[in-house]
Amino acid sequence: MIKKTIFYFILIVSAIVFTYPFLWMFLASISPDKAIGNLVLLPSQVTLDNYRQMIAKIPIWRALLNSVIVSGLITTGVLVFGSMIGYALARLEFKGRNLIFYLIIFTMTIPFQITLIPQYILMVKLNWTDTYYALIVPYLINALGIIMFRQYFLSLPQSLIDAARIDGCGELRIIFRIIWPNSVPVILTVAILTFMTSWNEVLWPLIVIRKESLMTLPQLVTLFVVGGRAESQLGVKLASSVFLATPIVIAYAFFQKYFINSMVSTGQKE
Amino acid sequence: MRKGKLTPYLLVSPYIVHFLVFVVFPVAFSILLTFFKWDIISEMKFSGFANYRRLFADRLFWKALVNTLYFLSIHIPLELVVSLFLAEILNQKLKFQGLFRALFFLPVIVSGVAVTILWQQLYGYNAGLLNKFLMYIGLGKVGWLIDTKMAMPSIAIMATWKNVGLYIILFLVGLQTVPKQYYEAAELEGASHWQKFFKITLPLINPTIIMVVILSTIGGFSLFIEPYIMTGGGPLNSTLSALLYIYKQGFFYYHMGYASALGIFFALLIMAVVIIQRKYIEKRT
Amino acid sequence: MRKIKKILSAILLLSLTFCTGGNSKRNYLTYWSSNNTYEIEFARKMVAEWNAAHPNEKVKFQPVPEGQSSEEVVLAAIVGKTTPDIYSNMWQGDVEAYAKAKILVALDTLKGFKDFIYSRCDSSTIKEVTAADGHIYQVPWKVNPIMMIYNKKLLDGIGFKNPPTTYKEFFTAAERFQKQNLVNGRVTKWFGYAEILPTWWQRLFDFYPLYLAESGGMPLVKNNKAVFNNKYALRVFNFLRTLYVHDYFPKERLSARQDVFLSSVIATRFTGPWDIAHTEKFKPKGFKYDFAPLPTSGKKSELPITYCDPKNIVIFNTCKNPQAAWEFIKFYLSEKNELKFLEITNQLPRRKDLLSNPLFEDYFNKNPMMKKFARQTLHIKGIDQALYLKEVFDIISQAYEESVVYRVRTPKAALDDAEKQVNLLYSK
């Protein structure tokens, strides 16, 4: 009994440690600037002024839209291409299949640091800096996504595919009409993982996007906080930070199980 | 057997294109660039091994490498201990296990930018929440981000806080694979809780431990946004990470050739470390 | 299958509509200003006025996309060929290198430029902005001399009716201020604050103006050689170092907190006139402040020289119609609009008649603080005409961090080393 109490105590303290900072940030963002210094639990005064100022200062809605577009298209691409390639690798026999499989594994081990600068130069040469292309195209195919699809498709019964072939389905139709409905868990996992990673990506946008109207949310917030336009108003900076965190937290509240599963599956890949 | 022998190739062709354009070309170009001096605006100038010679003499780059390793040496053990400890407690058939798990996981999904902005406030020397708390319980203030000895550990603590939720769950999965009979047998022999933990649990979840180590090694090598926002690499370059330094050389000063040389060298180093770790796993399992 | 095709084509269409390539034809001019809030306001007004009068030569405006510094962003834009036609926040120190790389329009080849510039600027300013090849690539637009802002109430409180002008007075004031504000023996307020980030351009706002003040405007680099390792730089280093030794200046990055000057956490700061508008907007009730010249080691008979942070207007060679761009600039810098610029932004146009033109008289009489800055413009310096200035400031910044803020080396040793490194940089 004592042991259990101690355990609960530890767990509750840890839960506070992991969540209270977010709560503080949220409360600070709705407090007037001069009250933030003394804020611990309850704000002495509630105001939306920080949010109003933030919206007036930076095109944050536009950045939100950009992030949705970019992450949405990347996720779609990863799902479509990933399942096509994963299917070919898992279910079709052709020369060079193993070679391609090992190539994919190999690309996963290349650190992105090595390709960062030449990829930027590539974007410059393609005239893609300051376009959505630069943000989206390099991420449309993702090695991890392919591998996850392949692993999952390997476990599907062959009879499913054979039946479809007898009905005269083409391979694309098999993938999207027969395989997809039977692969919801892996699709959700890959989708959440891809969406989250691209949503939180900040280094690449910092490099290829300079036009304010094309900036993604994390990029705009980073530059807003580091740069001078917040006019040293702490509350406004924190408001932008809350704004950045909120969409993912809301999604997490709904798809908690899938979030956790997808992150775990990246772990087990290694 | 099917009419379209080409079909599989068509299906994998997007990957081939992507691989050529975004992997083969950049890597080859990067290697080529290391032999040139180039600021993008002017013409490329061949410079032989000058970039590599400069790399080996560049004290700041070596400092940045050491800083990155220092970060890993704090971050990884801390992460292992905390996540294993909390996973072990969560594994004790308690109520609300799911709720706690979900709460611990929250920092994992939130953008690193938001987390960094938040922690900059917590770490403030004079008005930060952490120091206020320390003063309140009668301890002195800590120079989290302004003390050259504390700045990197502070960033490591923050990174641990952000990622530990993921590792807790990985360990939970690992812990659940340990057969119950082992514990029952040990209990019969009168083993204490901690004895069971060290004698049975630890050896059996070794693969998970190594997996966590590799994951956080790879993550740790890409340390960038935290010092970029919080310290700019200071004080006295104590939080200058290798990636931040490469970024500065490439995108502050436009020393593209030199930055490429740094990138290649750094990437090789990461690969070497990961290969050694992998070898180690294969030996153990 | 058809459904999938539909979805795929929808995606493609969507991405095409959203992605605008860099090559699209356009019949408008693009213009970037700095990202100072009041300058944005001014630019918006001007651009709206211009567009109403010139429907065929419209200007599209946006503030420079923020980075750590605007210089970094402009360089990146040049690299990505995404430069605007007109840019009004060009740091003088970059123009020579850009001119050499042939990415700027030589303005003196445009109709009406010469007459304009000779009526606006004095000969020394024109000389300062003329490139090595004899052309002029920039319009000297505005200056922001660095001075010391101080909190009147706080200085009154320690018996300083006038702000300190010498290092010695500065130390006395700082010591008194610190003693008065100890809480349980802890320092809670500081006499001054300088940003401690090691980024190169931070030194333009602490070390460099103090060095110009102390040395009477000596250069840092001359004929590709470091000339800053002298007694003046040493005095400035020692001055600042003492401030950190006694905790008169905090080592914490206060810029991450709420505004520390307005919340009376610090009493002074080195800054420019742009702070007036900011202070007026956010100051609490009863807050009183003023500006003073920078401190020097000994009393000076006239105002000490300071750094003026000159920002100029350039036209990039990606511009399809430079003459139209120049017409816009001329409109932007007309007397009437410069008065508006003064009123809205509290930054100073770089023109010779600033104090003599009756058009501005009324403004300066109403804004005595701005008059102080206008007077200071007679004692200002921009930046040396040299290459690699960023690297030079970076090296100085490292020396500064080591010997002033963290004191792991003596100022002498740090400056000696910095001199060596700068000379090595130019010898390559």
Side-chain angles (χ1 to χ4, degrees), chain A residues 38 52 85 109 184 207 224 228:
Chain A
N38 300 316
R52 243 175 264 132
I85 301 160
T109 63
V184 175
I207 289 170
F224 182 58

Side-chain angles (χ1 to χ4, degrees), chain A residues 8 17-18 21 37 94-95 104 107 113-114 117-119 138 141 171 200 203 222 234 241 248 252 260 264 267 270, chain B residues 7-9 14-15 18-19 22 26 30 95 102 105 109 111 113-114 121 132 161 164 169 211 224 243 259 278:
Chain A
Y8 277 118
V17 168
F18 285 112
F94 57 98
K95 249 195 195 145
I104 293 171
T107 45
Q113 286 86 343
I114 211 170
I117 286 162
Q119 280 208 15
I141 288 185
E171 300 297 337
N200 289 339
L203 180 59
T222 303
L234 178 58
S241 183
I248 289 283
Y252 175 63
I260 294 179
V264 170
E270 287 303 318
Chain B
T7 318
Y9 297 103
Y15 176 75
H18 186 270
F19 178 72
F22 293 107
S30 195
K95 274 181 196 157
F105 201 71
I109 55 141
S111 146
V113 173
Q121 296 309 315
K132 271 190 187 161
W161 178 86
V164 97
I169 286 162
M211 180 176 85
F224 167 75
L243 191 55
R278 263 171 213 270

